[in-house]
Amino acid sequence: DTIQTKRGTLIQMKPSKLRVEMIPECVSFKTGRTFTVRQMDRTHTRLSRLGIFSAISMDIQQDTLAATPTLDVLIDCTFDSPLETSIEIGASYKSNNYIGPGATFSVTNKNLFGGGEQLSVALNGSYEWQTGSGSSSLLNSYEIGLNSSLAFPRLIAPKFIPRKNKNLNWTRFALNADLLNRPHYFKMAKFDASVSYDWYPSKYSSSSFTPLKFSYTKLIHTTEAFEEIIKENKAIEQSFRSQYIPQVMYSYNYSRAIDKDNTINFNVSVQEAGNIFWGIYEVCGSKGEKTLFGTPFSQFVKGSVQLVYDRRLMGSHHLVTRIATGAAHAYGNSSQVPYSEQFYVGGANSVRAFTVRSVGPGSYHVDKETANGYFDQTGTFKFEFNTEYRFPIYGPLGGALFLDAGNIWLLKDDPDRPGGKLTGSRFFKDLAVGTGCGLRFDIGMIVVRGDLGVGIHAPYETGKSGYYNMRSFGKSLAFHLAIGYPF
C-alpha cells in the first residue's frame, strides 16, 4: 500500500498493522530543508523507541534528476514479532528469617492497534517460609498479583500541555490487583486503577502526571496477635484500615550534564488523596467522616525531593552525593497516612548499614523479638544523605566507598512510639549513620552490586555510650546484593 504523507511516501507491505501518522511523526527532516546527520540520528532514535521494529536502516541517495543538488532518504523498517514474553525468577532472605522464591511471568503485545501501543499483562507471585526454631510450615507467607497496562506512545491529552516531539510521550492506563498473606498477622487485598501521562517539556526535563489513581485496600482476615497490636497502637490501626485512596500525582525530573565533569539530577514529586471527593461532600452538606460505597476514603498530602550530584574526579573516578527528603500529612477524613504511603529507611538503596525498616521513627526502637516491630518502622517525614566514591578496578569490575545517614520521623506525636516525633534539638542525634564498601559489576545493560555496610551510630539506645554506640562490630554489619546503582 503506497500512501503520500507530509514527510514523504510511505510504502507498507500488507498485511501488517500500522497507523499511517506514526512514521511521519518520527521523521525529523523535511523536503526542501538542509539534511543533517543529527536529524538522521534523531529519526532513527524515535523509530527505535517505538519498540515495534527489529531492524531500521537508512540509505541516502543523490537525486541526479533534480535541477538543484538534492538527496533522497530511504528508510527501511522491518516489523518485529508483536508478542513478547518474559519470565523472571528470584529468591529472597529477610531479616525476620523469612526465605523463599518468587517469579513473574509477563506477556506484551508491542503493536496492539498498529501505532506502537503496548498491552502488557504480568502475573507475579512469591512464597516465603520462616526458618529457625519455633517456625511452622503451616504458617507460610505468600503474595500473588496481576498487573496490566495499556500504553500509547503519544499524549491523549489537551494540546496546551507543553511537550517536545524529540522524545516519545506516553499515555498509560493501568489496572492491578494484589493479594498479600502474612499468616501471623493478616491477609490483605489491594486493587488500583490509574491513568498517567509522561512527556518531555524541554530537552533536559521530563514530567509525569497522574490525574487519577484509585486504590482500594481491604483487610480480609486478621489474627488475634495482629488484633492485639492494633488495639495497643491506634496509629497502626488507622493506617491498616480498609479504605479507598483516590489520588492525583505529579513528578518532575531535571537531568543535565553541566560540563564533562559535573552532572546533576533533580526530582520532585507531589501527590494528594481525597481532597476532590472531600470538597464535593462538603458542598453537598455532608459532615463528619465521609465514605465511598460505605468505606472511608483517605485524605492526605505527600511530597518528596531528591538531588543527586555526580562529580568526575579523574578518568572513571566519580564522587556522587545524594540528598533526599519527604513529608506526608493526613487531615480531614483521615487521622493517619495509609501504611503503604509512609516512608521507611534502611536497605540496599538507603542507609546500607541497617536493614529495611529497622530504623526509626526518630529514637524509637523495638527489639527484634517484639512481634509488632515490623509494623512500627515507618514515618511521615524522611531525610537521607549519601555520598559515594566510585572507582574502577579491572574491566567491568568497579569498587565503591560510601557514607550514609538518614532516618524517619513522625509529624504527629504518638504516645505508643516515644521519641518518634520530629524535633529540631534531636535531629542530628536521630540520624542513623553508617559507612562501608562495595563491588559493582557493570556490563552496560545491567549492574550487579554488592555492598557491605558498617554501622557507626544508631539513633536508639544500644547500651553503649558515645557517638559510636553499636553493640559490637559483628552485629553492626549488613550485606546487600542488588541490581543497579543505589542512586
Side-chain angles (χ1 to χ4, degrees):
D1 190 11
T2 302
I3 305 169
Q4 295 298 327
T5 73
K6 60 182 180 180
R7 288 289 193 271
T9 303
L10 176 66
I11 303 173
Q12 179 185 0
M13 303 301 292
K14 295 287 187 174
S16 60
K17 284 185 178 182
L18 182 66
R19 188 172 65 89
V20 176
E21 299 84 0
M22 184 179 64
I23 299 296
E25 289 174 353
C26 294
V27 176
S28 61
F29 34 78
K30 300 179 181 179
T31 302
R33 299 279 184 90
T34 301
F35 177 83
T36 65
V37 175
R38 175 181 293 182
Q39 292 172 342
M40 183 178 69
D41 294 339
R42 186 179 297 165
T43 300
H44 191 282
T45 299
R46 292 181 187 176
L47 292 170
S48 299
R49 287 178 176 173
L50 291 173
I52 65 175
F53 300 121
S54 60
I56 302 170
S57 63
M58 294 189 185
D59 185 21
I60 315 301
Q61 300 178 353
Q62 183 178 354
D63 188 353
T64 58
L65 300 179
T68 57
T70 58
L71 298 175
D72 288 338
V73 183
L74 307 179
I75 306 175
D76 186 26
C77 301
T78 304
F79 276 110
D80 195 4
S81 172
L83 291 180
E84 180 179 89
T85 61
S86 67
I87 184 169
E88 301 174 14
I89 300 176
S92 65
Y93 176 75
K94 300 180 179 179
S95 58
N96 56 1
N97 295 326
Y98 272 91
I99 187 173
T104 299
F105 176 75
S106 63
V107 179
T108 301
N109 188 318
K110 299 181 291 184
N111 193 27
L112 185 63
F113 304 122
E117 300 86 1
Q118 298 182 2
L119 175 64
S120 178
V121 180
L123 177 66
N124 59 79
S126 62
Y127 186 79
E128 301 172 346
W129 60 90
Q130 193 171 31
T131 61
S133 60
S135 59
S136 172
S137 60
L138 299 178
L139 296 175
N140 295 330
S141 174
Y142 65 84
E143 182 175 2
I144 186 169
L146 182 65
N147 305 316
S148 61
S149 66
L150 176 60
F152 296 82
R154 53 193 177 275
L155 287 189
I156 307 176
K159 294 294 183 181
F160 64 79
I161 294 181
R163 67 196 77 173
K164 288 287 184 180
N165 291 326
K166 295 180 181 180
N167 301 93
L168 285 181
N169 304 300
W170 290 90
T171 302
R172 306 178 192 274
F173 300 88
L175 186 64
N176 307 313
D178 189 77
L179 179 64
L180 176 64
N181 182 57
R182 293 289 182 259
H184 295 290
Y185 303 109
F186 61 85
K187 179 184 291 186
M188 175 186 286
K190 182 179 180 181
F191 307 90
D192 63 71
S194 65
V195 55
S196 61
Y197 302 102
D198 301 323
W199 75 96
Y200 294 83
S202 68
K203 181 179 180 180
Y204 302 107
S205 63
S206 61
S207 294
S208 179
F209 176 55
T210 302
L212 177 63
K213 180 181 179 181
F214 198 75
S215 304
Y216 174 65
T217 57
K218 173 69 174 179
L219 272 176
I220 300 175
H221 172 73
T222 58
T223 64
E224 292 184 3
F226 187 70
E227 291 291 340
E228 289 295 324
I229 293 172
I230 62 178
K231 185 184 298 182
E232 296 174 0
N233 195 316
K234 293 298 180 183
I236 297 178
E237 180 183 14
Q238 289 295 318
S239 63
F240 269 89
R241 70 174 182 172
S242 300
Q243 59 189 318
Y244 289 101
I245 310 176
Q247 297 184 65
V248 177
M249 298 182 289
Y250 173 76
S251 65
Y252 173 82
N253 186 78
Y254 181 86
S255 182
R256 182 179 182 180
I258 302 174
D259 51 42
K260 64 177 182 178
D261 295 327
N262 299 277
T263 303
I264 62 170
N265 182 277
F266 174 75
N267 180 269
V268 58
S269 64
V270 293
Q271 64 187 92
E272 67 83 24
N275 293 301
I276 297 177
F277 283 87
W278 184 86
I280 295 174
Y281 277 66
E282 283 291 307
V283 171
C284 296
S286 175
K287 302 298 180 182
E289 185 180 58
K290 300 166 179 59
T291 62
L292 188 65
F293 306 116
T295 300
F297 60 84
S298 183
Q299 187 177 4
F300 66 90
V301 291
K302 179 182 178 182
S304 61
V305 179
Q306 176 177 280
L307 176 63
V308 178
Y309 172 62
D310 185 340
R311 168 69 178 178
R312 189 174 73 91
L313 303 177
M314 59 179 180
S316 298
H317 296 252
H318 291 257
L319 182 65
V320 186
T321 304
R322 167 182 175 261
I323 298 177
T325 185
H329 176 64
Y331 58 96
N333 211 48
S334 300
S335 60
Q336 295 293 331
V337 177
Y339 180 77
S340 59
E341 297 293 339
Q342 295 187 26
F343 301 103
Y344 60 89
V345 295
N349 301 316
S350 182
V351 186
R352 284 163 280 186
F354 299 86
T355 56
V356 177
R357 290 188 177 90
S358 63
V359 178
S363 60
Y364 173 75
H365 183 65
V366 178
D367 294 334
K368 185 178 179 180
E369 291 77 15
T370 304
N372 66 333
Y374 175 81
F375 302 101
D376 282 359
Q377 310 297 91
T378 59
T380 50
F381 184 86
K382 180 182 78 169
F383 177 82
E384 291 185 23
F385 173 82
N386 313 82
T387 185
E388 182 171 286
Y389 169 53
R390 300 171 184 171
F391 53 90
I393 297 179
Y394 181 77
L397 184 64
L401 300 174
F402 56 83
L403 176 69
D404 302 326
N407 204 343
I408 53 170
W409 291 266
L410 302 174
L411 294 180
K412 297 179 181 179
D413 191 23
D414 184 358
D416 295 316
R417 288 182 282 182
K421 187 179 180 181
L422 177 65
T423 59
S425 60
R426 286 197 53 87
F427 180 80
F428 291 102
K429 293 182 180 179
D430 285 348
L431 289 177
V433 181
T435 185
C437 59
L439 294 175
R440 286 94 171 87
F441 188 74
D442 188 349
I443 57 175
M445 295 181 60
I446 190 174
V447 177
V448 181
R449 170 170 57 96
D451 287 331
L452 178 64
V454 182
I456 296 177
H457 175 73
Y460 47 83
E461 180 60 42
T462 62
K464 299 286 186 177
S465 60
Y467 190 79
Y468 179 79
N469 62 347
M470 308 307 296
R471 290 189 176 96
S472 67
F473 180 78
K475 292 183 179 180
S476 67
L477 300 177
F479 178 75
H480 303 280
L481 184 65
I483 302 297
Y485 289 104
F487 44 85

